[in-house]
Amino acid sequence: MQDEDAFRAATMYYLQNQTMDVIATTLQVSRSTVSRMIAHAREVGMVRIAVEQPTSRSGQNLGHRLAATFGIRAHVVPVRPRSTELQRLDQVAAVAANLLGQWFTSRMVLGVAWGTTVSAIAGHLRRMPTTGSTVVQLNGAANTYASGITYASDLIGAIAENFDATSQHFPVPAFFDHPETKTLMWRERSVSRVLDMQRRVDIALFGVGALTAEVPSHVYSAGYLTDQEMTALTADGVVGDVCTVFHREDGSYRDIEINSRATGPTPRELRRIARRVCVVVGDRKVPALLGALRARVATDLVLDETTAGNLLERATARPS
Amino acid sequence: MQDEDAFRAATMYYLQNQTMDVIATTLQVSRSTVSRMIAHAREVGMVRIAVEQPTSRSGQNLGHRLAATFGIRAHVVPVRPRSTELQRLDQVAAVAANLLGQWFTSRMVLGVAWGTTVSAIAGHLRRMPTTGSTVVQLNGAANTYASGITYASDLIGAIAENFDATSQHFPVPAFFDHPETKTLMWRERSVSRVLDMQRRVDIALFGVGALTAEVPSHVYSAGYLTDQEMTALTADGVVGDVCTVFHREDGSYRDIEINSRATGPTPRELRRIARRVCVVVGDRKVPALLGALRARVATDLVLDETTAGNLLERATARPS
DNA sequence: GCGGGTCCTGCACGTATGTGCAGGATGCTT
DNA sequence: AAGCATCCTGCACATACGTGCAGGACCCGC
């Protein structure tokens, strides 16, 4: 049996730290095969590696300070000082994927937003079979120009497949044009089924969108919003969004017209979810992130250390 | 900060799988230092590695068959077919130590027996700081000839130290000469304090002693039992012991005179403990192990695969 | 301020590990 | 049964990693 030998090899390698040569002899195969078997074992999630903050030490480091400031669990990812934002995204996504793999188990429901960040995370997931679990899309994804559904749909599908979970898509646009349409659609059974599932989410996974971005987030670039809408948002003091629901830097999100047409859960709705994992990379996202944290959308924050530093600085420099 | 950098290095290495060279550049140290930092991180338990049985597959393998036969969780350790018993002990102990490290956390109470097996496990523990936890000795250790206390005491102390736990010794002989002495001692506060702690044990760790051993177990060799007592045990059909309480191959342990003078918990008392980890190596221990399992002393069994094979064979060949 | 610890680092070397490639097995198709 | 595609293996090489050793920083105590 394929996996059986991989398990033996992985056990001998990681738990008993034998060299691959010894394992090869035991299993009567070549050393290279053992190398491949162990790689396989890692890929299918048979091997789980966790690195934990040493418990001691006076909360002087970024992680503890973030935790103390915002009442969240912070996972600060070390990155090289001069790495590009894309590299950082990759690193942070790798860590987030690992964490998700540890937290998500059988019979759970995972809610995911869609976007560059979540997509990067999906790319780093390591196969981990579960049973009876579900992956549900948190916000709509079709826009006026392209259906956009393929993208979000592939993403959800890939994540679900990774966990052997069933996937639940959300067949609505990111924003409705008219609030009334939303009200009506929300009564459709095809939609309300998804909404029901969203209420059962155990872990939510999302990034934040930044309105102020030099490189605009997917939501703003791909024709989801008109110029007119963008202007209105700016005038309202909006800095970004979480799951297509916009907010200001102080964490408020009321009286923002477009939110009545948005399809994702509001911060208030999100807060009903036990574990809410927010993954962020990029200094330009700091104001949006600050607002998101003040709206208490996250219980866990995964970010690179430079962004973390900037976030803390801005949070303490301009207390809301 | 020492640990801080080790954490960064370990994260980059294990979670983002960067090469040590890259990490060295980032941290501005030499690659060898990074290698040492990561080794350090592993040693202090900052890195946790678990290997899990792939969930699938038709319970044809030893682990599943053992689990099904005895209603326990079985952890079968792969070993080289021609390895010596000492090597196997080493391998199995490494795995057991790893499992213990995963299970034992802050504010728990760990009960340990003492003996060759437990001693080997202690040697493989990786440092893992906890708070508010306790390690308590499960059975007495002084015999007629030598105090024996040093040995058991060092063992308990070493395990406790590994977890930053307080240790609770059990200052009584392995066996009393007269049952009445036991009764009286059990009322002493110094003893009853330990007994109270034993009742709060969350995880128990022990091996099994085999009476039939070619190489006799510590308990039988070191002058703990007289020749006369050994003869009596054999006549009674005794095959081995768990925590100095003897049992027969069918799992019964009543009407064995010496048990009334033994200091360890009986199977019945053990069964009150939620997790009971039995670690066994050696074919000669199979009959004793079989009896122990039938007495339901264990919830988790860690053993090498040849012993596992023999155990299953004997269990099915001679159903009690 | 000087000898003698102890601890830590980088170097250099040998060993352990990952991977492109080519040959062989297996299984499916025609 | 031959043809073809796919998968798997071992070889050989390049790379990555662990560790003994020697030099330097630091800390004491006198």
Side-chain angles (χ1 to χ4, degrees):
Chain A
M1 181 104 277
Q2 175 73 285
D3 281 353
E4 181 64 17
D5 280 343
F7 173 74
R8 290 186 47 148
T11 304
M12 296 179 85
Y13 188 73
Y14 285 109
L15 264 33
Q16 311 172 206
N17 43 214
Q18 309 270 315
T19 85
M20 294 190 181
D21 241 328
V22 173
I23 301 173
T25 311
T26 309
L27 265 52
Q28 307 271 5
V29 293
S30 80
R31 194 186 52 68
S32 0
T33 301
V34 174
S35 172
R36 282 187 261 259
M37 284 196 299
I38 291 174
H40 170 77
R42 269 199 309 264
E43 255 154 37
V44 300
M46 208 181 283
V47 177
R48 210 177 289 195
I49 302 185
V51 180
E52 288 166 14
Q53 284 274 17
T55 46
S56 59
R57 213 163 358 75
S58 51
Q60 275 315 315
N61 62 69
L62 288 172
H64 281 103
R65 285 170 60 199
L66 281 175
T69 310
F70 297 107
I72 53 173
R73 282 175 291 266
H75 307 269
V76 180
V77 179
V79 291
R80 321 174 53 174
R82 337 201 68 217
S83 54
T84 69
E85 194 158 312
L86 201 60
Q87 289 172 324
R88 286 174 197 202
L89 176 59
D90 203 57
Q91 316 277 306
V92 172
V95 173
N98 188 290
L99 288 171
L100 189 61
Q102 290 173 235
W103 293 334
F104 190 65
T105 60
S106 292
R107 284 173 295 288
M108 290 184 96
V109 179
L110 175 67
V112 297
W114 52 271
T116 323
T117 312
V118 174
S119 183
I121 295 168
H124 279 279
L125 282 176
R126 303 214 184 138
R127 175 121 183 88
M128 149 137 325
T130 65
T131 59
S133 49
T134 305
V135 175
V136 59
Q137 183 177 337
L138 287 178
N139 50 25
N143 67 13
T144 12
Y145 299 1
S147 84
I149 277 189
T150 316
Y151 171 74
S153 151
D154 283 355
L155 183 58
I156 308 288
I159 296 175
E161 195 182 335
N162 183 76
F163 293 109
D164 283 353
T166 41
S167 60
Q168 183 73 264
H169 299 274
F170 198 10
V172 295
F175 304 100
F176 286 99
D177 288 330
H178 310 286
E180 313 84 62
T181 324
K182 175 176 168 183
T183 314
L184 290 175
M185 281 297 281
W186 254 223
R187 294 189 199 138
E188 288 292 313
R189 285 205 305 179
S190 60
V191 168
S192 69
R193 186 156 22 89
V194 179
L195 293 172
D196 285 344
M197 188 56 82
Q198 285 182 0
R199 277 185 216 102
R200 294 177 39 205
V201 165
D202 298 294
I203 301 180
L205 179 68
F206 52 87
V208 302
L211 207 62
T212 56
E214 297 95 52
V215 183
S217 171
H218 203 99
V219 192
Y220 318 129
S221 62
Y224 287 90
L225 296 177
T226 64
D227 290 347
Q228 199 177 351
E229 285 169 328
M230 289 292 278
T231 314
L233 285 173
T234 312
D236 253 346
V238 164
V239 292
D241 78 287
V242 168
C243 296
T244 66
V245 175
F246 292 90
H247 58 260
R248 305 186 189 84
E249 188 164 351
D250 64 2
S252 66
Y253 58 96
R254 287 178 177 269
D255 305 321
I256 296 171
E257 186 273 336
I258 200 171
N259 283 351
S260 65
R261 304 187 274 114
T263 54
T266 61
R268 184 195 177 89
E269 286 162 340
L270 269 179
R271 270 185 243 130
R272 279 202 305 246
I273 297 168
R275 177 158 237 149
R276 316 186 290 277
V277 186
C278 180
V279 183
V280 184
V281 176
D283 298 335
R284 58 188 175 71
K285 286 190 173 180
V286 166
L289 175 54
L290 200 45
L293 291 176
R294 285 178 175 145
R296 290 186 291 130
V297 297
T299 59
D300 290 83
L301 176 63
V302 187
L303 76 178
D304 67 280
E305 63 186 343
T306 57
T307 307
N310 287 322
L311 175 64
L312 264 176
E313 196 179 319
R314 192 176 180 98
T316 46
R318 318 187 181 186
S320 69
Chain B
M1 182 103 282
Q2 174 73 283
D3 281 354
E4 182 64 16
D5 279 344
F7 173 74
R8 289 185 49 147
T11 305
M12 295 179 86
Y13 187 72
Y14 284 109
L15 265 32
Q16 315 176 16
N17 46 216
Q18 308 269 316
T19 85
M20 293 189 181
D21 244 326
V22 174
I23 302 173
T25 311
T26 309
L27 265 50
Q28 307 271 6
V29 292
S30 81
R31 193 184 52 68
S32 0
T33 301
V34 174
S35 171
R36 282 187 260 259
M37 284 197 300
I38 291 173
H40 170 76
R42 269 198 309 265
E43 256 153 37
V44 300
M46 207 182 284
V47 177
R48 210 176 289 197
I49 302 184
V51 181
E52 289 166 13
Q53 283 276 17
T55 46
S56 58
R57 214 164 356 78
S58 51
Q60 274 315 314
N61 62 68
L62 288 172
H64 281 102
R65 286 170 60 199
L66 281 176
T69 310
F70 297 107
I72 54 171
R73 283 176 289 269
H75 307 270
V76 180
V77 179
V79 291
R80 321 173 54 176
R82 339 199 69 218
S83 54
T84 68
E85 194 158 310
L86 201 60
Q87 289 173 324
R88 286 175 197 199
L89 175 60
D90 203 59
Q91 316 277 305
V92 171
V95 173
N98 188 290
L99 288 170
L100 189 61
Q102 289 172 234
W103 294 334
F104 190 65
T105 60
S106 292
R107 283 174 294 289
M108 289 183 98
V109 179
L110 175 66
V112 298
W114 53 271
T116 323
T117 312
V118 174
S119 184
I121 296 169
H124 280 278
L125 282 175
R126 303 213 185 140
R127 175 123 183 87
M128 152 141 316
T130 65
T131 60
S133 49
T134 304
V135 175
V136 60
Q137 184 178 338
L138 287 177
N139 49 25
N143 66 14
T144 14
Y145 298 2
S147 85
I149 277 188
T150 316
Y151 171 75
S153 152
D154 284 355
L155 182 59
I156 308 289
I159 296 176
E161 195 182 335
N162 182 76
F163 293 109
D164 283 352
T166 43
S167 60
Q168 183 75 265
H169 300 275
F170 198 10
V172 294
F175 304 99
F176 285 99
D177 288 330
H178 311 286
E180 312 85 63
T181 323
K182 175 177 169 182
T183 314
L184 289 175
M185 281 297 282
W186 254 222
R187 294 191 198 136
E188 288 293 314
R189 286 205 304 180
S190 61
V191 168
S192 70
R193 186 157 22 89
V194 179
L195 293 173
D196 285 345
M197 188 56 83
Q198 286 182 0
R199 279 186 215 101
R200 293 176 40 205
V201 164
D202 298 295
I203 302 181
L205 178 69
F206 51 87
V208 303
L211 206 62
T212 56
E214 297 96 53
V215 183
S217 171
H218 203 98
V219 192
Y220 318 130
S221 62
Y224 288 90
L225 297 177
T226 63
D227 290 348
Q228 200 179 351
E229 286 169 330
M230 290 291 278
T231 314
L233 286 173
T234 312
D236 254 345
V238 164
V239 292
D241 78 287
V242 168
C243 296
T244 66
V245 175
F246 292 89
H247 58 260
R248 306 188 188 85
E249 188 164 353
D250 64 2
S252 66
Y253 59 97
R254 287 178 176 269
D255 303 322
I256 296 172
E257 186 273 337
I258 199 171
N259 283 351
S260 65
R261 302 187 277 116
T263 54
T266 61
R268 183 197 177 89
E269 285 162 341
L270 270 179
R271 269 184 243 131
R272 280 203 305 247
I273 298 168
R275 177 159 237 149
R276 314 184 292 277
V277 187
C278 180
V279 183
V280 184
V281 177
D283 299 335
R284 57 190 177 71
K285 287 190 172 180
V286 166
L289 175 54
L290 198 46
L293 291 176
R294 286 178 174 145
R296 289 187 292 131
V297 297
T299 59
D300 290 83
L301 176 62
V302 187
L303 75 179
D304 67 281
E305 63 186 344
T306 56
T307 307
N310 286 323
L311 175 64
L312 263 175
E313 196 178 318
R314 193 175 179 99
T316 46
R318 319 185 180 185
S320 69

